[in-house]
Structures are given as structure tokens and as C-alpha cells.
Amino acid sequence: MAVAVEGTYGMIAEFDTPSDLVRAAQAAYHDGWRRMDCYTPYPVEEAAEAIGFHKNHVPLITLVGGLMGLCAMFSLETWISVLAYPLNIGGRPTYSWPAFIIPAYEWTILFSGLSAAFGMLAMNGLPSLYHPLFNAPNFRDGATTDKFFLCLEALDPKFDVVETRVYLSSFEPVSVVEVEY
């Protein structure tokens, strides 16, 4: 199999309907393509399933962030009340853990929210000010309005410029364009 041309990001096929995109993505995944992505103007769950996207680590990141917030605030309150600045208020013990619950709860929510937001951005590779697909004129004009795209990336071992163009053309897309960096 021929090697991809240097400077080529991949090959992108444009479709008019989400069902055509899903059908092409399912066939490509079934035929062994793994480095591919679908681009749609609105969420198409079937497209994500068709390309084998099943893993989402944001809930785990959110849980870990929340537990870190809980432990951090509970530890901070304990340190302040017991070691750094112990106060005898009404004969109560310095380690009065029920008083620590509300601040620890608030920090749990804060850390969970921040972990979810920054974890999602990191997992999506954002902020990304440039992507090679922006070089394709049909992608710029239709990706956010009414067109559906399947991109087979040049990093895939099956990628060959000529064979990939023929393969994508077999799905009868509106157009097939080579995308360069």
C-alpha cells in the first residue's frame, strides 16, 4: 500500500443527509478504518456509534475533582480548627466535624464543576485555533449549516490518496476533497 503524501491531513467526503453519513461511517469502520471522524451541524448520535466512539472520561474526571474538593476543604477546616487556630467556643471540642460539612460540600461542587469544564476542554483538545479541515472550502461553507462530513485521516494505515478517493466516492457523496495541512 502506498504511503500518504506528506502534508496531507486526510480525505473528506460531503453528504447531504445524516443517514448517508452514518451509512458511510459504518461501512468505513467495518472495513477497518480507525482514524476517522464525522462532522455534523448538530449532534448525530448514530454517527458517533458508527465510528466506534464509546469512551467518555469526563464523568470520572468530575468525580475525582469533587472528591479532591471534599478532601481539600475538610482537611483545611480540620487544620485550621485543630492545629493552626484552635478556639474554645462554648466548651465545644476543637474538632467539630459537623461544622465542616457545609464548606466541604460547597468545595465539592466547585471542584466538580471546574473539573468537568476543564476536563471536557482538555479531552476535546480545546482551545484549538486551527484545524486542517478549515482549508477545505466545502467544509467552511457547510459544516455549521446543512452538510455532513466524513474525514478519513492520513494517519490511518489503510490511507492511500488514490484508493481512499475511490473508496469514498463509492458512497456517492456530494464531493470528495483532499485536505492538506
Side-chain angles (χ1 to χ4, degrees):
M1 184 161 295
V3 179
V5 178
E6 186 175 329
T8 300
Y9 176 76
M11 196 76 63
I12 188 168
E14 175 184 347
F15 298 95
D16 282 328
T17 64
S19 59
D20 291 340
L21 170 70
V22 170
R23 195 170 21 262
Q26 286 172 337
Y29 190 82
H30 178 69
D31 291 340
W33 290 89
R34 293 298 179 263
R35 297 293 308 224
M36 62 180 164
D37 208 350
C38 295
Y39 300 93
T40 62
Y42 52 84
V44 179
E45 294 296 325
E46 295 85 9
E49 293 171 8
I51 63 173
F53 180 78
H54 298 291
K55 294 183 179 181
N56 184 356
H57 298 292
V58 176
L60 179 61
I61 292 171
T62 304
L63 175 67
V64 169
L67 292 175
M68 286 175 47
L70 176 73
C71 292
M73 192 55 173
F74 208 89
S75 300
L76 180 66
E77 288 281 339
T78 302
W79 179 74
I80 289 172
S81 296
V82 175
L83 301 173
Y85 197 63
L87 295 174
N88 184 359
I89 300 174
R92 295 185 186 100
T94 56
Y95 180 73
S96 181
W97 67 267
F100 306 162
I101 292 175
I102 302 300
Y105 174 72
E106 294 296 331
W107 272 42
T108 300
I109 293 171
L110 175 67
F111 276 48
S112 293
L114 292 175
S115 297
F118 290 118
M120 181 268 308
L121 291 173
M123 300 298 278
N124 288 335
L126 295 174
S128 176
L129 302 178
Y130 171 77
H131 195 280
L133 290 179
F134 296 158
N135 294 332
N138 61 339
F139 186 80
R140 275 186 306 221
D141 298 336
T144 59
T145 54
D146 62 347
K147 299 296 180 187
F148 303 88
F149 296 91
L150 173 65
C151 179
L152 300 179
E153 298 176 7
L155 295 175
D156 195 292
K158 293 182 62 109
F159 188 86
D160 178 72
V161 175
V162 176
E163 292 176 13
T164 303
R165 182 179 298 277
V166 171
Y167 179 76
L168 286 174
S169 297
S170 69
F171 299 117
E172 300 176 5
V174 173
S175 65
V176 176
V177 177
E178 180 180 347
V179 180
E180 298 179 358
Y181 282 103

